[in-house]
């Protein structure tokens, strides 16, 4: 498989996509729950713009890819995903809901452009006897990327939260509770430590968490620059590999 340029490029691309996608989906939900103080059901509804975006471009790419080829969809999708992540970085701890919905919609449009198109490209460049192995290998790379992405996002958010909270006026609180990383979120529910004339402990925690998550989105956006570069090397024309019998 590694002798196939299409397979190598697609595997690398799907690794990066898995890294950016799952990390973002994992923490955008936590972000919305903490920033907007909503439950899981409402959080799911807030993600609908992303689903709508994915539906539009998934259907469009599936219908048109045989006429347009692969590269245009993958380049456009990569640019949209990268733009959405960089825009999410600007949200901070006091985002506008409508802007967030727009960013999620753009993110969904990008995912819909690339998710199935990359896989179709790989399948159409693979003989029938190797198609199962190739598809599984590319899917594995996406899953590995998802695992690595979640870990990277978690590391960034945890280190940012620890650093920012240590520099805050409420750093003394953690001498009592000794929380780390996202565990610091629990401090927003601890009463009795608010300092008069200053932001409350809960407000401080929410602000720190919001800016820390946005820093992770920046990481995802910058990593996706590599995916965008790869997308320009994908095949432009729609091609199908024939088997030994000419099928």
């Amino acid at each position: 498989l590694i002798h196939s340029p299409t397979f190598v490029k697609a595997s690398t691309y799907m690794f990066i996509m898995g890294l950016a996608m799952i990390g973002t989906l994992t923490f955008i939900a936590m972000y919305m729950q903490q920033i907007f103080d909503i439950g899981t059901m409402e959080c799911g509804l807030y993600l609908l713009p992303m689903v709508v975006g994915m539906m539009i471009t998934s259907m469009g790419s599936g219908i048109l890819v045989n006429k347009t080829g692969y590269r245009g969809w993958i380049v456009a999708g990569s640019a949209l995903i990268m733009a959405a992540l960089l825009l999410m970085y600007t949200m901070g701890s006091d985002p506008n809901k409508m802007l967030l919905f727009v960013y999620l919609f753009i993110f969904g449009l990008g995912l819909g452009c690339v998710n199935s198109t990359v896989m179709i490209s790989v399948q159409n460049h693979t003989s029938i006897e190797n198609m199962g192995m190739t598809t599984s290998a590319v899917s594995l790379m996406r899953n590995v990327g998802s695992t690595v992405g979640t870990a990277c996002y978690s590391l960034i958010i945890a280190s940012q939260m620890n650093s920012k909270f240590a520099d805050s006026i409420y750093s003394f609180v953690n001498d009592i509770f000794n929380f780390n990383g996202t565990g610091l979120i629990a401090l927003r529910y601890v009463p009795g430590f608010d300092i008069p004339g200053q932001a409350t402990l809960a407000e401080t925690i929410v602000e720190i968490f919001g800016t820390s998550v946005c820093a992770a989105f920046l990481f995802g956006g910058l990593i996706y620059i590599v995916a965008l570069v790869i997308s320009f090397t994908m095949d432009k024309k729609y091609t199908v590999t024939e088997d030994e019998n000419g099928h």
Side-chain angles (χ1 to χ4, degrees):
L1 292 180
I2 62 175
H3 293 291
S4 167
T6 300
F7 171 79
V8 173
K9 288 184 287 189
S11 296
T12 306
Y13 186 94
M14 293 301 269
F15 174 86
I16 297 172
M17 192 188 81
L19 187 154
M21 181 182 70
I22 298 300
T24 301
L25 291 179
T26 299
F27 287 101
I28 193 64
M30 289 181 63
Y31 176 84
M32 291 190 294
Q33 285 181 285
Q34 295 299 323
I35 297 298
F36 299 128
D37 197 19
I38 58 176
T40 53
M41 181 64 72
E42 194 172 356
C43 179
L45 294 175
Y46 280 24
L47 290 171
L48 283 179
M50 182 188 67
V51 177
V52 172
M54 288 180 64
M55 180 179 67
I56 293 171
T57 47
S58 291
M59 293 175 63
S61 62
I63 294 171
L64 299 174
V65 69
N66 62 329
K67 298 179 180 179
T68 61
Y70 316 109
R71 186 186 299 171
W73 289 101
I74 300 173
V75 169
S78 301
L80 288 169
I81 292 172
M82 184 181 70
L85 289 170
L86 294 178
L87 287 170
M88 287 180 190
Y89 162 65
T90 67
M91 292 188 301
S93 58
D94 187 25
N96 180 289
K97 281 186 182 181
M98 290 308 300
L99 279 179
L100 174 58
F101 295 157
V102 170
Y103 298 161
L104 286 172
F105 179 72
I106 294 172
F107 188 66
L109 286 175
L111 291 177
C113 284
V114 302
N115 198 17
S116 58
T117 307
V118 174
M119 195 63 73
I120 292 171
S121 172
V122 173
Q123 291 174 340
N124 287 346
H125 283 82
T126 305
S127 60
I128 292 177
E129 58 267 24
N130 291 328
M131 189 172 294
M133 176 174 59
T134 303
T135 303
S136 299
V138 174
S139 297
L140 173 64
M141 290 301 295
R142 181 176 56 188
N143 293 337
V144 172
S146 300
T147 304
V148 174
T150 303
C152 289
Y153 272 57
S154 299
L155 179 62
I156 292 169
I157 293 170
S159 62
Q160 287 283 310
M161 289 193 70
N162 287 336
S163 175
K164 292 178 184 296
F165 190 73
D167 293 334
S168 73
I169 59 174
Y170 290 104
S171 58
F172 68 93
V173 177
N174 214 26
D175 294 335
I176 302 171
F177 296 97
N178 196 30
F179 289 128
N180 290 292
T182 53
L184 289 167
I185 294 173
L187 293 178
R188 71 175 294 190
Y189 304 106
V190 177
F193 289 99
D194 295 340
I195 299 175
Q198 301 290 335
T200 64
L201 175 59
E203 291 170 343
T204 301
I205 291 295
V206 170
E207 180 181 0
I208 289 173
F209 178 71
T211 55
S212 298
V213 172
C214 288
F217 294 153
L218 175 62
F219 164 77
L222 294 177
I223 284 293
Y224 226 86
I225 294 175
V226 179
L228 180 60
V229 172
I230 294 173
S231 69
F232 282 101
T233 68
M234 301 297 284
D235 288 345
K236 184 177 181 180
K237 295 182 179 180
Y238 182 84
T239 55
V240 179
T241 299
E242 295 183 350
D243 61 18
E244 295 177 353
N245 298 317
H247 297 112

